[in-house]
Amino acid sequence: MINRRRFIALAPAFWVGSSFAQKVPMPGKMDLCPVCGMVVSKYPNWIAVVVWKDGHAHFFDGAKDMFKFLFDLPKYAPGHRAQEITGIHVTDFYNLERIDGRQALYVIGSDVYGPMGHEFVPLATAEDAADFLKEHKGKKILRFDQVTAKLPFRLDDGKFD
């Protein structure tokens, strides 16, 4: 019998091909998160990326800082506009592959912490999100469009509503 999570980790190579992973930029050794200033490459299991039309990318040490960034572009990326974003990618918790951040599901309030404490834990499927929620005592599953500007800061305070 094949383990579902192991299958999910291998499946993207068959369905999408390796070209998807090659298109998502990777942070350099010294790229800093524009929100918290941490070195992003130290946390490969949590990397999030925002890619712009000109090919430039901003890297984050987790989805929480990525959301803070997206909700306040004038502060973190002066001169950039949301309309110039061509890709938002997060790292799936189970298979550690980059997935579309707009399609991901995010579990909050779990017993799994990211580099900056409470985190939005990205998952690729509803089944994985439900399993993670149950296995790690999560509080909620959210879609990208359900995240509000205040929620990342509430997570910092350990509040999940």
Side-chain angles (χ1 to χ4, degrees):
M1 181 172 200
I2 196 164
N3 179 306
R4 182 174 55 81
R5 289 199 182 101
R6 183 170 289 151
F7 174 75
I8 289 170
L10 297 174
F14 297 111
W15 291 328
V16 180
S18 60
S19 63
F20 176 76
Q22 293 170 350
K23 291 180 184 177
V24 179
M26 294 296 293
K29 282 188 156 196
M30 297 310 294
D31 280 329
L32 302 177
C33 173
V35 175
C36 71
M38 290 174 64
V39 176
V40 175
S41 63
K42 289 184 177 183
Y43 308 98
N45 296 355
W46 294 97
I47 292 173
V49 185
V50 172
V51 183
W52 304 93
K53 282 182 184 178
D54 67 2
H56 176 74
H58 283 99
F59 301 99
F60 308 89
D61 56 324
K64 181 172 61 175
D65 279 354
M66 177 196 72
F67 281 116
K68 289 177 182 179
F69 176 90
L70 291 171
F71 282 115
D72 198 355
L73 289 178
K75 177 179 180 180
Y76 298 114
H80 289 83
R81 297 177 315 139
Q83 298 83 354
E84 298 168 344
I85 295 172
T86 59
I88 296 173
H89 308 280
V90 293
T91 304
D92 178 83
F93 181 81
Y94 285 131
N95 67 27
L96 302 180
E97 294 287 330
R98 297 302 179 302
I99 58 176
D100 184 334
R102 292 178 176 135
Q103 300 301 314
L105 296 168
Y106 300 90
V107 174
I108 60 171
S110 75
D111 60 5
V112 172
Y113 292 83
M116 296 289 292
H118 291 289
E119 185 59 80
F120 291 89
V121 179
L123 297 142
T125 69
E127 186 177 8
D128 281 349
D131 286 350
F132 182 90
L133 183 86
K134 183 178 177 184
E135 292 170 9
H136 294 283
K137 303 175 186 96
K139 304 293 185 213
K140 287 184 183 178
I141 299 171
L142 301 168
R143 293 183 320 271
F144 183 87
D145 63 354
Q146 291 177 305
V147 177
T148 64
K150 292 181 181 178
L151 189 53
F153 297 98
R154 294 194 53 75
L155 261 61
D156 284 338
D157 295 334
K159 298 177 182 169
F160 313 111
D161 52 4

